[in-house]
Amino acid sequence: MTTSLVTGGAGFLGSHLCDALLAKGHRVICVDNLETGTLENIAHLRGERFVHLNLDIIEPYHVEEPVDYVYHFASPASPIDYLRIPLHTLKVGSYGTHHTLGLAKRHRARFLTASTSEVYGDPQVHPQPESYWGHVNPIGPRGVYDEAKRFSEALTMAYHRQQGVDTAIVRIFNTYGPRMRPHDGRAIPTFLRQALQGQPLTVFGDGSQTRSFCYVDDLIRGIILLAESGCHEPVNIGNPNEFTLLELAQVIIELTGSRSEIVFAELPVDDPQVRQPDISKARELLGWEPAVALREGLERTLAGAGHERLTGRSA
Ligand SMILES: NC(=O)c1ccc[n+]([C@@H]2O[C@H](COP(=O)([O-])OP(=O)(O)OC[C@H]3O[C@@H](n4cnc5c(N)ncnc54)[C@H](O)[C@@H]3O)[C@@H](O)[C@H]2O)c1
């Protein structure tokens, strides 16, 4: 039986990845210290092919049984988390990635790390191809996340080049779906929570900054295709359909039938103005492209998460 180890498997994306790997018939070892994830995300996965190890990957860790794939997803991902625990974020991207690459090396496993569109910073090239080196402020508050991920990519390539580890890097663009936390500060869960509670939707700046939002099922499908390919270079996975934050707020008000109004708040420091993946490489190498449009994905999120989880309280 194929065994996959998923660090960060109790988080938003990691738990969806565990679902998909179990559905493929894999045995899944979820390594997660619940820093930002929850047992609720994996409660439905208990069974003989699934195990959760409560380990902090900043410390060295070992798994005795054979492992075929290592998916490295552990890291705070939401600004609200990495601004609260900046040192943890840097350590998980450095020590955590080092320990997890070491584990993959010992097991001769294929290793895939979850990198991010944040490696492009506030981009001066649009849309962003993998060949773009980025425009990151290393000493700004967001630098702890962006630089942790850039270091993590450098470490991954060094293990590949010097140690022969079979590695892959996915650069994930904004993703949404059920199990996002209502208070994690990212646009979609925040707007959904505010709309469902009848509170004003807070749009930063004038709302003209753009993001491209990928539904979680599309992302996970692309990640598994990448893991099963022989590719070692970074690959963007995201939805290239771009929306302004103001458009997103309007669609969410319409879909939820909310009577909330839109209010404007100060733009966070170093907030990127635009963000759109160039997915030519994913199309070419993996035959992948997203299939779920924003409206449909938002409807699935509303249906899949339920009012209680989206608002953080009972209906
Ligand atoms: N969600 C997105 O849109 C997005 C975009 C780009 C990249 N990513 C990347 O994908 C990965 C998962 O993101 P997410 O949105 O699911 O975040 P998340 O916060 O929901 O999940 C991260 C998980 O990692 C675990 N974790 C953190 N530190 C740990 C440690 N030291 N030891 C063990 N476990 C630890 C947390 O408990 C949590 O379950 C992250 O690496 C993130 O950088 C996510």
Side-chain angles (χ1 to χ4, degrees):
M1 186 186 297
T2 306
T3 299
S4 289
L5 181 145
V6 182
T7 73
F12 162 50
L13 297 182
S15 62
H16 283 278
L17 179 60
C18 291
D19 285 346
L21 293 169
L22 287 166
K24 276 173 76 69
H26 289 201
R27 173 168 164 72
V28 175
I29 304 170
C30 161
V31 175
D32 198 305
N33 71 345
L34 307 177
E35 179 71 44
T36 56
T38 61
L39 286 177
E40 195 185 352
N41 285 342
I42 50 170
H44 62 289
L45 298 180
R46 308 256 162 237
E48 59 187 41
R49 282 194 290 117
F50 179 81
V51 59
H52 168 225
L53 306 178
N54 191 332
L55 296 172
D56 181 349
I57 64 160
I58 290 172
E59 303 300 329
Y61 69 103
H62 302 281
V63 168
E64 293 308 324
E65 65 177 291
V67 173
D68 304 289
Y69 291 92
V70 174
Y71 292 88
H72 178 38
F73 276 61
S75 168
S78 163
I80 238 166
D81 293 322
Y82 61 71
L83 297 176
R84 177 178 57 86
I85 45 173
L87 288 174
H88 178 99
T89 305
L90 285 160
K91 287 181 191 169
V92 83
S94 50
Y95 302 123
T97 305
H98 173 56
H99 297 145
T100 307
L101 276 159
L103 186 142
K105 183 183 164 197
R106 278 190 299 281
H107 286 282
R108 297 181 191 281
R110 167 90 164 149
F111 171 93
L112 179 144
T113 193
S115 188
T116 167
S117 56
E118 299 287 339
V119 300
Y120 302 124
D122 189 2
Q124 292 164 313
V125 168
H126 190 68
Q128 295 83 53
E130 291 84 350
S131 54
Y132 177 51
W133 291 355
H135 182 229
V136 170
N137 174 5
I139 57 163
R142 299 173 76 106
V144 295
Y145 180 67
D146 304 0
E147 295 297 358
K149 289 290 178 177
R150 289 167 70 94
F151 179 84
S152 197
E153 286 199 10
L155 196 62
T156 300
M157 289 312 291
Y159 264 83
H160 173 62
R161 293 194 181 109
Q162 192 190 318
Q163 308 273 326
V165 178
D166 182 7
T167 60
I169 298 172
V170 58
R171 291 190 181 148
I172 302 170
F173 283 65
N174 292 52
T175 302
Y176 68 99
R179 298 185 205 149
M180 290 189 93
R181 287 167 297 150
H183 290 279
D184 92 351
R186 287 182 274 195
I188 288 186
T190 305
F191 289 168
L192 283 173
R193 171 175 54 80
Q194 291 170 331
L196 291 173
Q197 290 181 338
Q199 293 171 354
L201 274 65
T202 2
V203 169
F204 294 131
D206 61 2
S208 64
Q209 67 277 33
T210 66
R211 296 290 182 275
S212 42
F213 300 100
C214 187
Y215 187 65
V216 64
D217 290 0
D218 279 336
L219 176 89
I220 298 297
R221 181 168 49 83
I223 285 172
I224 292 176
L225 283 170
L226 176 59
E228 292 177 352
S229 77
C231 183
H232 302 299
E233 304 296 322
V235 178
N236 289 338
I237 301 278
N239 192 321
N241 289 331
E242 207 178 353
F243 293 85
T244 67
L245 270 277
L246 192 56
E247 283 170 330
L248 175 70
Q250 285 159 345
V251 171
I252 287 183
I253 287 178
E254 193 195 312
L255 279 180
T256 52
S258 171
R259 297 167 74 172
S260 297
E261 43 176 51
I262 294 173
V263 294
F264 297 90
E266 202 182 326
L267 208 58
V269 179
D270 296 333
D271 195 51
Q273 259 309 306
V274 289
R275 194 51 80 59
Q276 186 194 28
D278 178 335
I279 59 164
S280 322
K281 205 165 161 184
R283 279 198 179 106
E284 222 169 276
L285 289 175
L286 313 174
W288 176 87
E289 57 186 312
V292 182
L294 183 66
R295 271 170 190 276
E296 187 191 339
L298 289 171
E299 275 166 6
R300 286 202 210 174
T301 305
L302 279 163
H307 189 280
E308 194 175 330
R309 282 207 82 180
L310 287 169
T311 57
R313 64 178 193 211
S314 305

